[in-house]
């Protein structure tokens, strides 16, 4: 069982940048890894995901061109580089992972993932 620990959240002004990290306790080389966020009163939503084996990425429309997901396999660490941040990016950000290569759930569905971190808060002020 893999444990995931996020870091790197904080408070920034609109237009600023943050880089989130998610450290895994074991190898995630063939996992699907994702970043989700949840704003108060809203459902958890998928932001970006990567198929670590192939490097294939997918982004939510709301973050395309601003966020970049990446994985350092040597460090078993997932990253989310967030640029041009907007107030609507505010929320708790979670990393998630799953070893299954196939699932009936879409890769932006929280049900796709079995392993979750505790989250790191991102606050963007206008």
């Amino acid at each position: 069982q893999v444990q995931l620990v996020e870091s790197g959240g904080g408070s920034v002004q609109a237009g600023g940048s943050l880089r989130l990290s998610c450290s895994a306790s074991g190898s995630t080389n063939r996992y699907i890894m994702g970043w989700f966020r949840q704003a108060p009163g809203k459902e958890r939503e998928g932001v970006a995901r990567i198929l670590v084996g192939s490097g294939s990425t997918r982004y939510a429309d709301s973050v395309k061109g601003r966020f970049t997901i990446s994985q350092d396999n040597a460090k078993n660490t997932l990253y989310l580089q967030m640029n041009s941040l907007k107030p609507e990016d505010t929320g708790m950000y979670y990393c998630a992972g799953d070893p299954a290569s196939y699932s009936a759930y879409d890769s932006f569905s929280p049900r796709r993932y079995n392993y979750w971190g505790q989250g790191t808060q991102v606050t963007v002020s206008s």
Side-chain angles (χ1 to χ4, degrees), residues 12-14 86-87 124-126:
V12 296
Q13 290 192 328
K86 304 176 181 180
V124 184
S125 58
S126 58

Side-chain angles (χ1 to χ4, degrees), residues 47-69:
V47 173
R49 71 93 173 121
I50 184 168
L51 304 180
V52 177
S54 67
S56 171
T57 59
R58 177 188 177 191
Y59 297 91
D61 288 343
S62 58
V63 306
K64 279 181 182 177
R66 300 189 298 121
F67 290 12
T68 303
I69 188 171

Side-chain angles (χ1 to χ4, degrees), residues 11-116:
S11 297
V12 296
Q13 290 192 328
S17 298
L18 284 173
R19 188 177 80 156
L20 306 183
S21 300
C22 172
S23 178
S25 60
S27 174
T28 56
N29 285 2
R30 297 192 178 277
Y31 275 44
I32 178 173
M33 300 294 297
W35 286 100
F36 287 74
R37 67 186 179 191
Q38 188 166 19
K42 294 188 176 181
E43 292 187 353
R44 193 170 296 190
E45 63 172 350
V47 173
R49 71 93 173 121
I50 184 168
L51 304 180
V52 177
S54 67
S56 171
T57 59
R58 177 188 177 191
Y59 297 91
D61 288 343
S62 58
V63 306
K64 279 181 182 177
R66 300 189 298 121
F67 290 12
T68 303
I69 188 171
S70 62
Q71 168 88 0
D72 185 331
N73 288 337
K75 296 181 179 179
N76 293 323
T77 300
L78 179 74
Y79 299 100
L80 185 68
Q81 178 67 45
M82 306 186 295
N83 299 327
S84 302
L85 282 161
K86 304 176 181 180
E88 51 264 44
D89 294 318
T90 293
M92 187 69 78
Y93 281 69
Y94 300 90
C95 76
D98 197 275
S101 58
Y102 172 76
S103 171
Y105 297 107
D106 183 85
S107 61
F108 277 175
S109 168
R111 294 185 177 186
R112 177 66 179 85
Y113 301 84
N114 274 307
Y115 304 122
W116 290 85

